[in-house]
Amino acid sequence: MPLKKKENKMNVKLLILCVPMLLAGCISLDPDYKRPDLSTPATSPQGEAYVSSGKTTDVSYRDTGWYDYIQDAKLRQVVAMSLDSSRDLREAVANVKAARAQYGEERSNLFPTINAELSGSRSRSLSGEGNKTAISSSYEGDASVSSFELDLFGKNQSLTREQYETYLSTLQGARSTRLTVLYNTVDYWLTLAADRSYLAVAKETAESARQSLEVTQAQLRHGTASMVDVSSADTTYQSALADVASYKTSVAQDKNALDLVVGKTVPDALLPEGIETLSHAFREIPAGVSSDVLMNRPDVLEAEHNLKSANASIGAARANFYPSISLTASGGAASSDLSSLFKHGAGVWSFSPSISLPIFSGGYNTSQLNYTKAQKEYYVAAYDKAVQTAFQEVANALARRGTINDQLTGQQNYVTSAQSYFHLSDLRYRNGVDSWLNALIAQRTLYTARTSLISTQQAYYENLITLYKVMGGGTALKESEIKH
């Protein structure tokens, strides 16, 4: 066979197999995507609570990994255990893997499925007059494309974009879950530290109340105190004992909650001793509200990817109104001798196009399009809500940040004054200069001041981890940079 003729046959075969690739994806019917106009303020919140730090830095929460943000060695280890063992995070990662696999499955529809097939037959049959028989053989090898739909109106591309945006949404959801797991772990750890401090104060107060009760009982025996004073002192003592029992329960429950969020039992060596023992547990980073902070939070990005997915689904629904063209093609070689199939075999090919035009579907296509438009309206509202929620959370955290230091300083001074008040009142009472009522008031004032200080210290540290969460801490880093 002449070389030129062989080349022509090969060109025909290649053309048959490549036509689907050349014709796929001509236009797209997706609406032009535009980020919705938002109803959140364009500027940072203003007021007495929002105090500017006056510091400028190139470091931001999004660029800071949790391992660099958390400075306490014990808490670092607990958070690492949580991120490694959390069931919630495992579920989120599994969802990401599933979404990525579904995207790959949908994307495969953009390409033809090419199969290679080798078939053969051998038979014995009558060859003519009489009972003479002959054995005949035939072999064929070909490559084929089966029912590939040409994406002339971009339906498959729209469906692929829809699934891709769903995958990206799931990925951002996993990042949001990671931040939530981190926040919950730190929050439970701080709550345990605070309740341990509450327990220590309750025990000290109970011991002080017991000593005051003994002094009052001694004064009763000497006639310098009344039964009213004794009963009042005993009331304070019993109340303190009740607080001790209550905080013991809280400490045990806090430990159980911490074990649950971590996903395994946290060793006692990694538990906090008390809230007052913490110092520089977190890194200080100047914070402020900006569009970059809000738009790049994982939950906001998740909502926007959902919106983009809904936008792509409209394009797929629109494509249902247009005809679809499918191709089935094959090309190869055939021979009566297997040994010469690929050397001297005859070229064979087939080409079977088909077209389908929607005429009547009972209103299905119209309803499907209306549904996708309604879904887009829903996700526009969900996106706006996500941004508004982000702005509120950031604004609340900044309001707390702007006032917590003043509150902490005032609370510390309150405790100092209450300690002095109680010390002088107790001395005056023990020496018979003052009444038990004044000593009791001073004791209760000190107890209230100390518990209020613990609450304020807890609020101070919780505000720091809240800022890291609402500012999208660590989300600008690559996965390789946040694997600690």
Side-chain angles (χ1 to χ4, degrees):
M1 181 183 294
L3 180 61
K4 188 173 182 179
K5 193 171 183 180
K6 288 186 176 181
E7 289 179 350
N8 289 336
K9 286 187 175 182
M10 292 300 299
N11 291 337
V12 170
K13 296 174 185 178
L14 290 175
L15 180 61
I16 292 173
L17 295 177
C18 293
V19 162
M21 300 181 188
L22 296 174
L23 296 180
C26 293
I27 62 174
S28 173
L29 299 177
D30 294 2
D32 292 334
Y33 176 77
K34 181 181 179 182
R35 179 177 284 176
D37 296 328
L38 304 176
S39 55
T40 52
T43 59
S44 299
Q46 304 295 322
E48 294 182 357
Y50 303 99
V51 179
S52 175
S53 64
K55 299 178 181 178
T56 58
T57 178
D58 293 332
V59 180
S60 69
Y61 285 94
R62 294 186 63 243
D63 297 317
T64 304
W66 70 265
Y67 197 83
D68 295 323
Y69 186 71
I70 297 176
Q71 302 292 304
D72 187 273
K74 291 182 179 179
L75 183 54
R76 274 181 177 174
Q77 295 182 60
V78 174
V79 170
M81 291 173 57
S82 179
L83 295 179
D84 183 61
S85 305
S86 171
R87 272 60 175 178
D88 291 338
L89 195 54
R90 288 182 183 179
E91 290 178 1
V93 171
N95 286 336
V96 171
K97 292 179 179 179
R100 183 167 53 195
Q102 288 177 326
Y103 162 63
E105 180 181 350
E106 187 63 50
R107 186 174 180 270
S108 66
N109 292 327
L110 296 176
F111 306 96
T113 300
I114 301 176
N115 298 311
E117 183 179 355
L118 180 63
S119 61
S121 65
R122 186 175 176 84
S123 62
R124 182 177 183 180
S125 59
L126 292 174
S127 61
E129 298 179 357
N131 294 325
K132 294 182 179 180
T133 62
I135 298 177
S136 61
S137 302
S138 66
Y139 300 94
E140 183 174 339
D142 58 42
S144 63
V145 175
S146 301
S147 300
F148 175 69
E149 181 180 352
L150 297 183
D151 202 18
L152 296 178
F153 301 99
K155 178 180 178 179
N156 289 336
Q157 288 198 19
S158 294
L159 292 174
T160 300
R161 277 192 292 272
E162 177 186 357
Q163 197 61 56
Y164 178 65
E165 294 296 339
T166 299
Y167 159 62
L168 294 180
S169 172
T170 308
L171 183 61
Q172 293 300 329
R175 284 196 166 221
S176 184
T177 300
R178 180 187 180 89
L179 268 178
T180 300
V181 169
L182 186 151
Y183 171 82
N184 289 340
T185 302
V186 174
D187 183 57
Y188 284 128
W189 194 83
L190 292 174
T191 300
L192 176 58
D195 282 342
R196 282 190 161 186
S197 294
Y198 283 130
L199 177 59
V201 170
K203 287 181 177 179
E204 292 175 7
T205 302
E207 177 60 22
S208 175
R210 184 191 65 79
Q211 294 176 2
S212 297
L213 177 60
E214 291 179 352
V215 170
T216 305
Q217 289 172 337
Q219 290 179 344
L220 176 65
R221 290 192 295 269
H222 291 89
T224 58
S226 65
M227 279 300 299
V228 174
D229 295 333
V230 173
S231 297
S232 180
D234 187 50
T235 299
T236 302
Y237 175 55
Q238 297 301 329
S239 176
L241 289 179
D243 287 345
V244 169
S246 176
Y247 286 124
K248 283 182 179 179
T249 302
S250 296
V251 167
Q253 292 175 342
D254 294 341
K255 176 60 166 57
N256 295 335
L258 182 62
D259 289 343
L260 178 61
V261 74
V262 170
K264 61 175 66 174
T265 301
V266 179
D268 292 341
L270 299 181
L271 299 179
E273 297 176 1
I275 200 75
E276 70 281 349
T277 63
L278 302 180
S279 179
H280 305 293
F282 303 98
R283 182 178 178 181
E284 292 276 357
I285 298 178
V289 179
S290 67
S291 59
D292 180 67
V293 170
L294 296 180
M295 296 301 102
N296 288 285
R297 276 187 23 155
D299 54 339
V300 174
L301 290 175
E302 180 182 5
E304 184 171 15
H305 285 304
N306 282 332
L307 176 56
K308 290 180 178 179
S309 176
N311 190 72
S313 68
I314 293 177
R318 286 175 173 175
N320 288 332
F321 291 90
Y322 294 87
S324 62
I325 300 175
S326 297
L327 298 180
T328 298
S330 65
S335 174
S336 59
D337 189 354
L338 180 61
S339 61
S340 63
L341 176 62
F342 297 106
K343 291 183 179 180
H344 306 290
V348 295
W349 58 269
S350 67
F351 183 65
S352 304
S354 66
I355 183 170
S356 174
L357 179 65
I359 297 177
F360 178 74
S361 61
Y364 173 84
N365 290 339
T366 301
S367 298
Q368 178 68 14
L369 179 59
N370 291 337
Y371 172 78
T372 57
K373 290 180 178 179
Q375 283 293 97
K376 182 178 179 180
E377 292 176 4
Y378 168 82
Y379 284 115
V380 168
Y383 176 68
D384 192 15
K385 182 180 179 180
V387 175
Q388 288 184 3
T389 301
F391 185 87
Q392 180 198 21
E393 290 178 351
V394 172
N396 288 343
L398 290 177
R400 177 79 283 188
R401 174 75 172 270
T403 59
I404 191 63
N405 286 325
D406 292 340
Q407 183 179 346
L408 188 59
T409 300
Q411 204 65 52
Q412 290 169 338
N413 293 336
Y414 179 29
V415 171
T416 301
S417 299
Q419 286 175 331
S420 177
Y421 175 32
F422 172 71
H423 176 68
L424 294 175
S425 297
D426 188 59
L427 283 178
R428 287 169 62 84
Y429 170 67
R430 290 175 184 271
N431 288 283
V433 178
D434 208 347
S435 67
W436 163 247
L437 179 60
N438 286 337
L440 176 62
I441 293 174
Q443 187 178 59
R444 290 176 175 174
T445 298
L446 177 59
Y447 183 67
T448 300
R450 294 184 68 184
T451 55
S452 295
L453 177 59
I454 293 172
S455 177
T456 305
Q457 289 171 326
Q458 182 180 1
Y460 171 79
Y461 289 115
E462 286 182 344
N463 176 248
L464 293 178
I465 192 59
T466 298
L467 278 169
Y468 188 77
K469 177 178 181 287
V470 301
M471 294 289 189
T475 55
L477 302 177
K478 297 179 181 178
E479 291 300 322
S480 60
E481 296 175 299
I482 59 175
K483 64 182 181 180
H484 283 291

